[in-house]
Amino acid sequence: MARNILVVEDDNNISNLIKMYLDKEGFDVRIAADGGKAVEEFKEKEPDLVLLDVMLPVLDGWGVCAKIRETSKCPIIMLTAKSEDTDKILGLNMGADDYITKPFELAELTVRVEAVLRRYHKLQDKISAAGMEVDTLSKTVRKNGRPVELTAKEYELLLLFLRNRNIALYRDRIYEEVWEGEFDPDSRTVDIHVQRLKKKTGLEDSIISVR
């Protein structure tokens, strides 16, 4: 599955250039031209990484970063014309993972994106929540220290829910991310697998929440 990048930039020339370059590098790129739209796009489908401009209409980059950090640890790279150290420190303190000053080379941007993604996924090798321990390298799952046997789809479902804790996920998003196909509203595939996962893991609705 292509890695999804959300580019938040109000300059169409810049955002289109970034999209064109990252598309060629194998990324799936979405664009939001203001801070309000960025928050909507993020909630609709959480990307693998956000490229976030600071100076935005509706809601600035600092505000978007704060909104994202309320529910997600998704990697964020700030893009801005400001180069003062105080701005960099502010961005990093608010939860940004990296900071690139305009103008920048697209090749450098790609390298920084890859580096942040590698660092983020290395940190995500082990995920723990509500007594669950998931080792994404060995793909093993334990609940209160005891092994939990899951099918491949149940395992992918569990990762999706643990990475989106405190967020009720829509069925179409779940299906598209786990089964990588177009969602059929009449299908009960998601509901059946979710019920099996709940039974095997004993996780509450606060962790496994479906809309």
Side-chain angles (χ1 to χ4, degrees):
M1 184 189 306
R3 292 162 296 178
N4 187 278
I5 306 292
L6 176 60
V7 176
V8 187
E9 167 64 65
D10 62 334
D11 187 317
N12 290 334
N13 291 329
I14 295 176
S15 59
N16 288 332
L17 191 61
I18 291 174
K19 175 175 170 54
M20 181 177 66
Y21 195 89
L22 291 181
D23 280 344
K24 291 181 179 179
E25 295 297 317
F27 292 97
D28 181 11
V29 180
R30 292 179 291 152
I31 296 175
D34 64 65
K37 182 63 175 177
V39 174
E40 292 177 7
E41 286 284 340
F42 190 91
K43 289 181 178 179
E44 182 177 335
K45 181 179 180 180
E46 181 170 333
D48 295 297
L49 182 141
V50 179
L51 292 174
L52 178 61
D53 189 29
V54 172
M55 304 302 292
L56 295 168
V58 182
L59 182 65
D60 66 20
W62 310 128
V64 175
C65 184
K67 284 287 186 182
I68 290 174
R69 284 294 174 257
E70 288 178 1
T71 59
S72 173
K73 295 181 180 179
C74 173
I76 299 173
I77 297 179
M78 305 297 291
L79 304 177
T80 180
K82 294 183 177 180
S83 59
E84 292 85 354
D85 287 340
T86 53
D87 290 311
K88 295 180 181 180
I89 293 171
L90 176 60
L92 295 173
N93 283 340
M94 292 189 69
D97 297 88
D98 202 353
Y99 196 107
I100 299 179
T101 303
K102 299 175 183 177
F104 49 80
E105 295 291 335
L106 290 171
E108 178 194 358
L109 176 65
T110 304
V111 170
R112 300 280 278 274
V113 166
E114 294 281 7
V116 169
L117 284 172
R118 283 196 302 271
R119 186 164 68 244
Y120 174 75
H121 286 296
K122 183 177 181 181
L123 293 174
Q124 293 294 302
D125 286 348
K126 294 184 183 296
I127 303 174
S128 300
M132 301 295 303
E133 296 179 358
V134 181
D135 187 322
T136 61
L137 293 180
S138 62
K139 293 188 177 182
T140 55
V141 179
R142 292 180 175 273
K143 175 70 179 292
N144 298 323
R146 296 183 177 180
V148 178
E149 296 296 329
L150 300 177
T151 66
K153 293 302 181 186
E154 289 167 351
Y155 174 80
E156 293 296 328
L157 271 176
L158 178 61
L159 284 184
L160 182 63
F161 283 116
L162 291 181
R163 287 170 173 163
N164 293 275
R165 292 190 290 278
N166 302 316
I167 301 175
L169 301 179
Y170 287 98
R171 286 173 174 80
D172 56 349
R173 177 188 169 185
I174 294 171
Y175 191 88
E176 289 168 5
E177 293 207 18
V178 175
W179 280 269
E180 300 184 25
E182 185 175 349
F183 177 65
D184 178 0
D186 295 325
S187 171
R188 286 189 45 80
T189 299
V190 171
D191 298 272
I192 292 172
H193 280 77
V194 165
Q195 289 304 317
R196 289 175 179 169
L197 181 62
K198 283 184 175 181
K199 184 176 181 180
K200 288 185 177 183
T201 61
L203 290 175
E204 300 178 354
D205 290 341
S206 59
I207 299 293
I208 300 179
S209 183
V210 178
R211 291 185 183 183

